Amino acid sequence: MNSQQPNRATAAPGASKTLLVAQREFVENMRTKAFWIGIFIFPVLISAMMIVPSLLERAKSARQYVVVDQSGWLLEAVEQRAALPDLEKVFATALEAQRSESSDLEQLPDELRETAQQIDVALGMIREQQPGLAADPEEWEATEAKVIEGFASMVAGFAGTEGAAMRELLPAQAIEPLEQLRSSIQSWWLALPAEEASEYGSGLSKSRYIRVDADGSASDPNTLEELNRRVADGEIFAYLVIGPDPVSGEEESRYVSSNLTDDDLLVWFSRLAGDVVRERRLAEKEIDQETANWIQAPLDFRQSRVGAGGEEEAVEAQDFVRQWAPVMFVYLLWISVFSVAQMLLTNTVEEKSNRLMEVLLSSVSPLQLMLGKILGIAATGLTMVSSWAIFFYLATKYLPRFLDVDPGFDLSIIATDVRYVGAFLIYFLLGYLFYAALLVGIGSVCNSLKEAQNLMSPIMLLLFVPLVSMVPIGRDPNGILARAMSYFPPFTPFVMMNRAAGPPSTMEYVLTTALLLVSVLLVMWGAAKVFRIGVLMTGKAPKPMEILRWLRAPVGLVPERRES
Amino acid sequence: MTSNTLALEINSVTKRFGKHVAVDGLSLQVPEGSIYGFLGPNGAGKTTTIRMVMSIIYPDDGSIRILGQPNAESIKDELGYLPEEKGLYKKMTAIEILTYFGRLKGMNGRHAKSRGLELLKQYGLGDAAEKKCETLSKGMGQKVQILGTVIHDPRLVILDEPFSGLDPVNVEVMRELILSMKRDGRTVIFSTHIMPQAEQLCDFIMLVNRGKKVIDGPLGEVRSAGDHGIQIDYDGDGSVFKEVAGVERINDSGKHAEIFLEKGVDPQTVLQQLVGRISIRRFDLREPSLHEIFVRAVGGEVIDE
């Protein structure tokens, strides 16, 4: 009879059937929208987190404002000061165009092009005279910035310390041509309309905050009434009134707007005005700038940490990130464990309501079916999570540069740290297996998702605990709370991940992971028992007590076949 | 093959669900190469028996030998099973499902696919092969399920209520499939609560009621063991049968009636009494229907049909 059955593979062993079930689950999940949304949502979120703030900044519309200056001098000083960072940006941009010899250079106005050339020449002279400076890239960058800043302050029209620093650096023959350029570039800048300013540099205050002239004199009460009307009509965003003697500190200045939530304009203006006023006060009391800085210098505490060997280690920004990165990983772990295990639950309930269980059970054993499902969905989850890990690495390494954002340091060190990424993958797998077994057991006894959700609520409550304890544990990763929670298997993956910055001792890693492994096996065993009975049940979902009875049920209901 | 090898042997099997005894000391023998019908009303224990045969659930008492093995688990690949509750993966195409079922039964992927396509074509579903199951009509879906049961050319096929919910065209397809399995020397066991279907197909039958076997054996023997009855095809008012003297029981279906007479009553006198009152198209004396046998065996308890 068997001769009539061609091409039958040698009776498929149990493992291969399990893999077949797993493969089908994996392929089917790959076809769902949810899977691809899961794959892409993370990169999109990360990119959004990095891009959106700068986009928002760029998208802010220009604010028109009026200043009623009763002092007669403060406004002018503020505008000089405001021009300084703008000019620095414009010169730096022009200098870059000059160096790259791009076509951008030709589009620049003559004055600006010449400025860029002269700055370049001046820098060349410094390089020749002080080769030591040019050799160190960090120092050279600072030198360039100093020169640009110095010339910008000359053009802006106030002689601060910056100009002096430049003069010290530059030889006289380099300063002369710059001095000659000063007035032409100054008049170009003043004549440049605010709308066009953004062509010469990004984030210029000239294009963000546009001052319009007020009609009438400051002392006229009608003027203020008129200004109120203009604010109400939306013609201008706000107006400021500066008293006759702001230096005295005895009168108040005013800021009037219909929108007090967006205080960018106020913050920007008051900082500049505050600087000017402070300088005046210092001059009045004949206190030099250095003395003032010294008086205001705070008492600094340098943080350092004692390492495991007793030696002191310097604390860097990276350490702060290392301390808190686990919190982000716990979040990710929680979301991925939960969403992937949930996938399994939905899938089991669907298979049951599609009445497929019995057909499948005529070909595979319940244990094979259950393991196959758990494996298949684990593969789905791992694919998703690994794609996140890879993206996270690439994003932290390349995205900041690509977006021209300076993150301060290299975030990708976290992405390559085994303590984080390795632990993440392992705890994902173990945590998933633990919760997957619980949920597949629940899924097997339910006929609808609604029933499943009812049975799931205690597990949900349990799952929220590691979320709530996330910050306290992050603060004190080796505290009593953290240690105690590590030994409770349902929390182990999250809490141990949470503590990665501690880090816990190797002994703790070994013990808690062993405990978790044992409970994974236990839960699997229980789930297999429940699954076996549950998948064939129709009608009302059993009560939790009933399920407990199944777990304790002796042979008979349990898949032990008595041989005759 | 000889008819004395048994495809399935059940020895006094009992299954309880709590206090309810679903199957009670049931024994039967299914010879290889035959078509065997499990007959009985809903809730008689047919599905429970089949599930035990398939090792989906296990008996509390008694033993089962299937294809010579004590347990279906080791020979699952040689069995085909169509459960009472049938379903398909909605998102898979017809050919994907058939291939998957075939592979689960140990076929290699390529062979399962080509055999699946062959079967789909043979049963008029060639165009539906690449369609997702959720887009198939109910009848088409049922055909795919049935083909999934036999794709691996099993030695023994067990079909639980295979005809329920099928339209007449698909009933015909199902019958053709069962008969072709028998022609190939396969064994087919199916359950039904509709007696005429079993009468048309089965070599052997077993009648069950309330978990207990009522009667079993070759169809012919089962039937000839009962009293002969008169089969009448007629037009007219069937109430006249009640007025006929010497009649013990009447199964009247409107155009057809089955009449059983008291001992010693001559069928000819019945015919004489009926002539002229209804128009008779057929009148013969023969073995009783399964329905009658069943009703008699369970002592006139109402069965639903």
Side-chain angles (χ1 to χ4, degrees):
Chain A
M1 179 160 285
N2 280 332
S3 61
Q4 292 174 19
Q5 298 165 3
N7 271 351
R8 168 158 293 158
T10 48
S16 82
K17 285 196 180 179
T18 304
L19 289 180
L20 199 57
V21 174
Q23 184 197 10
R24 198 208 70 85
E25 291 292 342
F26 183 68
V27 171
E28 175 150 316
N29 278 315
M30 293 263 288
R31 290 187 190 165
T32 59
K33 284 196 199 80
F35 176 78
W36 292 104
I37 291 173
I39 290 262
F40 287 114
I41 195 96
F42 178 76
V44 167
L45 278 181
I46 290 266
S47 312
M49 262 162 56
M50 296 173 112
I51 296 170
V52 167
S54 68
L55 278 187
L56 276 182
E57 198 56 41
R58 265 172 233 177
K60 274 187 178 162
S61 56
R63 301 288 189 213
Q64 302 216 330
Y65 68 104
V66 167
V67 177
V68 180
D69 180 13
Q70 291 169 338
S71 73
W73 55 267
L74 184 57
L75 178 58
E76 200 193 341
V78 165
E79 291 203 323
Q80 281 180 1
R81 230 162 231 279
L84 176 62
D86 282 6
L87 286 167
E88 276 175 46
K89 280 181 198 155
V90 170
F91 292 164
T93 316
L95 188 61
E96 212 165 290
Q98 151 86 17
R99 283 188 185 151
S100 64
E101 291 174 359
S102 69
S103 55
D104 294 353
L105 190 63
E106 282 158 37
Q107 285 161 16
L108 293 181
D110 295 340
E111 298 90 344
L112 195 52
R113 202 165 54 222
E114 218 168 301
T115 306
Q117 277 160 5
Q118 284 307 329
I119 293 178
D120 203 25
V121 168
L123 285 169
M125 286 178 186
I126 300 179
R127 194 181 287 131
E128 261 170 46
Q129 288 172 1
Q130 305 178 50
L133 252 180
D136 183 349
E138 227 167 88
E139 199 133 332
W140 180 245
E141 210 173 294
T143 310
E144 278 187 5
K146 232 181 258 174
V147 171
I148 291 175
E149 196 181 7
F151 186 58
S153 70
M154 269 167 68
V155 176
F158 70 101
T161 45
E162 297 90 344
M166 179 189 75
R167 274 166 216 276
E168 269 171 37
L169 273 166
L170 286 183
Q173 68 261 43
I175 294 182
E176 206 170 308
L178 283 174
E179 290 266 22
Q180 283 166 3
L181 264 172
R182 178 178 167 178
S183 67
S184 67
I185 189 82
Q186 199 169 36
S187 50
W188 167 78
W189 175 251
L190 291 175
L192 180 70
E195 308 84 64
E196 291 170 26
S198 61
E199 288 170 30
Y200 303 103
S202 61
L204 299 185
S205 64
K206 187 178 174 105
S207 41
R208 283 258 354 243
Y209 309 113
I210 300 167
R211 190 172 65 78
V212 286
D213 288 326
D215 304 323
S217 89
S219 50
D220 187 355
N222 289 337
T223 312
L224 295 186
E225 247 170 62
E226 170 68 4
L227 282 172
N228 279 340
R229 187 195 58 75
R230 287 172 74 183
V231 169
D233 291 354
E235 225 175 285
I236 55 174
F237 183 74
Y239 70 89
L240 297 97
V241 182
I242 294 166
D245 187 9
V247 175
S248 73
E250 282 159 10
E251 59 195 28
E252 56 175 15
S253 302
R254 294 174 59 220
Y255 170 83
V256 183
S257 175
S258 57
N259 175 356
L260 292 179
T261 12
D262 183 351
D263 61 355
D264 285 359
L265 168 65
L266 175 61
V267 169
W268 170 76
F269 193 93
S270 69
R271 189 175 49 77
L272 291 172
D275 285 349
V276 173
V277 167
R278 195 174 308 114
E279 249 166 49
R280 285 270 174 136
R281 286 177 186 158
L282 291 174
E284 208 166 278
K285 295 287 178 194
E286 295 177 342
I287 303 170
D288 63 47
Q289 186 68 43
E290 265 175 54
T291 315
N293 289 347
W294 172 71
I295 291 173
Q296 287 189 321
L299 183 54
D300 244 344
F301 287 94
R302 189 172 60 83
Q303 300 184 40
S304 46
R305 180 219 323 258
V306 178
E311 76 283 9
E312 252 181 57
E313 296 166 354
V315 176
E316 299 164 39
Q318 283 156 336
D319 290 300
F320 180 77
V321 174
R322 274 175 198 278
Q323 185 79 18
W324 290 103
V327 171
M328 191 198 76
F329 276 99
V330 174
Y331 246 124
L332 269 185
L333 186 67
W334 194 87
I335 290 169
S336 46
V337 163
F338 180 66
S339 59
V340 175
Q342 174 99 37
M343 219 190 258
L344 181 66
L345 174 87
T346 318
N347 170 293
T348 311
V349 174
E350 260 174 26
E351 204 153 281
K352 230 189 129 182
S353 64
N354 281 350
R355 310 204 174 288
L356 270 154
M357 285 299 180
E358 238 179 301
V359 187
L360 295 175
L361 289 183
S362 71
S363 303
V364 298
S365 73
L367 191 67
Q368 284 171 338
L369 182 60
M370 187 184 95
L371 290 181
K373 292 174 90 58
I374 289 180
L375 270 183
I377 294 194
T380 314
L382 271 179
T383 311
M384 207 145 85
V385 170
S386 325
S387 86
W388 293 354
I390 292 169
F391 180 83
F392 179 70
Y393 172 71
L394 293 179
T396 47
K397 198 158 179 69
Y398 299 111
L399 206 56
R401 207 178 309 158
F402 179 69
L403 290 173
D404 207 19
V405 199
D406 183 17
F409 53 90
D410 191 2
L411 266 172
S412 62
I413 49 155
I414 289 168
T416 48
D417 193 328
V418 183
R419 227 166 59 208
Y420 296 112
V421 176
F424 180 75
L425 289 178
I426 289 172
Y427 284 127
F428 166 75
L429 202 63
L430 289 177
Y432 162 75
L433 286 178
F434 184 88
Y435 284 98
L438 278 181
L439 293 194
V440 83
I442 287 182
S444 71
V445 301
C446 297
N447 294 306
S448 69
L449 275 180
K450 219 179 141 208
E451 279 174 14
Q453 268 150 12
N454 284 339
L455 274 174
M456 249 184 73
S457 45
I459 294 180
M460 283 302 299
L461 280 179
L462 199 66
L463 259 171
F464 270 108
V465 176
L467 271 195
V468 175
S469 67
M470 201 159 64
V471 172
I473 289 178
R475 232 182 255 284
D476 190 5
N478 286 327
I480 288 185
L481 175 74
R483 276 165 199 265
M485 280 177 70
S486 305
Y487 286 97
F488 186 55
F491 298 158
T492 304
F494 308 109
V495 175
M496 288 303 278
M497 188 75 242
N498 208 164
R499 296 175 58 192
S505 66
T506 318
M507 198 60 196
E508 273 185 291
Y509 269 118
V510 171
L511 281 179
T512 55
T513 311
L515 199 61
L516 179 58
L517 256 175
V518 170
S519 27
V520 164
L521 291 178
L522 260 173
V523 175
M524 284 274 174
W525 171 81
K529 269 184 149 183
V530 172
F531 191 84
R532 161 111 229 173
I533 302 171
V535 280
L536 289 172
M537 273 198 35
T538 48
K540 222 175 104 233
K543 300 233 159 56
M545 286 315 289
E546 207 171 327
I547 297 177
L548 282 182
R549 223 172 38 236
W550 292 354
L551 287 177
R552 289 201 308 262
V555 201
L557 276 175
V558 182
E560 294 295 317
R561 169 102 189 196
R562 276 169 295 168
E563 190 61 56
S564 56
Chain B
M1 88 204 40
T2 55
S3 60
N4 53 19
T5 48
L6 293 178
L8 174 68
E9 188 178 7
I10 298 179
N11 287 316
S12 40
V13 155
T14 299
K15 179 73 192 175
R16 293 177 204 90
F17 293 115
K19 282 176 187 154
H20 172 65
V21 183
V23 175
D24 191 356
L26 188 101
S27 298
L28 65 89
Q29 298 184 329
V30 179
E32 201 154 358
S34 62
I35 299 178
Y36 198 108
F38 287 8
L39 310 181
N42 293 333
K46 301 185 298 281
T47 296
T48 306
T49 307
I50 286 175
R51 284 181 172 180
M52 285 190 286
V53 167
M54 290 306 299
S55 285
I56 288 170
I57 52 178
Y58 293 92
D60 298 330
D61 271 309
S63 69
I64 294 173
R65 279 193 89 75
I66 178 164
L67 295 178
Q69 301 296 317
N71 190 320
E73 260 153 37
S74 55
I75 41 141
K76 273 187 173 171
D77 292 354
E78 303 199 45
L79 306 176
Y81 173 49
L82 182 70
E84 186 178 8
E85 290 181 335
K86 307 162 186 85
L88 294 170
Y89 287 107
K90 290 180 190 158
K91 299 285 176 196
M92 286 172 93
T93 65
I95 184 62
E96 278 171 350
I97 289 231
L98 289 186
T99 310
Y100 180 56
F101 284 168
R103 293 184 68 191
L104 280 181
K105 291 292 192 185
M107 296 171 87
N108 74 39
R110 228 172 16 158
H111 179 231
K113 189 170 181 184
S114 65
R115 178 77 185 126
L117 284 172
E118 205 175 295
L119 282 172
L120 285 173
K121 236 173 253 169
Q122 192 181 336
Y123 288 92
L125 288 172
D127 297 337
E130 299 297 337
K131 282 186 186 157
K132 281 192 182 164
C133 289
E134 60 190 351
T135 66
L136 298 180
S137 72
K138 196 171 168 232
M140 287 159 104
Q142 281 172 336
K143 269 197 209 172
V144 172
Q145 278 152 16
I146 294 162
L147 296 179
T149 314
V150 300
I151 182 167
H152 57 298
D153 203 6
R155 270 174 77 189
L156 170 61
V157 186
I158 300 178
L159 310 166
D160 198 355
E161 296 283 357
F163 297 104
S164 76
L166 292 188
D167 62 30
V169 176
N170 282 318
V171 165
E172 219 34 63
V173 170
M174 190 75 214
R175 271 215 322 221
E176 176 47 40
L177 197 89
I178 292 175
L179 289 172
S180 80
M181 295 287 296
K182 180 186 156 74
R183 279 197 296 273
D184 292 343
R186 313 290 178 221
T187 312
V188 181
I189 298 173
F190 71 89
S191 76
T192 183
H193 62 278
I194 302 167
M195 306 291 168
Q197 276 165 351
E199 283 182 296
Q200 290 169 342
L201 274 169
C202 292
D203 301 317
F204 298 87
I205 58 149
M206 172 190 65
L207 289 173
V208 268
N209 191 41
R210 301 193 166 180
K212 285 190 172 141
K213 181 170 78 183
V214 175
I215 193 168
D216 70 339
L219 183 66
E221 276 177 34
V222 169
R223 287 171 65 159
S224 57
D227 296 337
H228 280 39
I230 301 167
Q231 308 288 330
I232 304 172
D233 288 353
Y234 71 97
D235 291 312
D237 181 6
S239 62
V240 296
F241 296 126
K242 287 179 188 148
E243 295 158 21
V244 176
V247 169
E248 189 186 54
R249 268 180 55 79
I250 308 159
N251 296 324
D252 183 11
S253 340
K255 295 287 178 194
H256 172 89
E258 191 178 25
I259 297 175
F260 296 92
L261 305 178
E262 288 162 7
K263 277 225 161 59
V265 178
D266 183 359
Q268 290 305 318
T269 63
V270 175
L271 183 58
Q272 280 162 10
Q273 290 179 63
L274 289 175
V275 169
R277 303 175 73 178
I278 51 172
S279 112
I280 295 170
R281 287 183 275 108
R282 183 170 74 105
F283 185 95
D284 61 10
L285 186 65
R286 50 187 291 183
E287 299 156 335
S289 67
L290 281 177
H291 178 86
E292 175 62 21
I293 291 169
F294 189 81
V295 171
R296 291 196 172 216
V298 301
E301 284 174 61
V302 178
I303 61 167
D304 65 311
E305 192 165 312

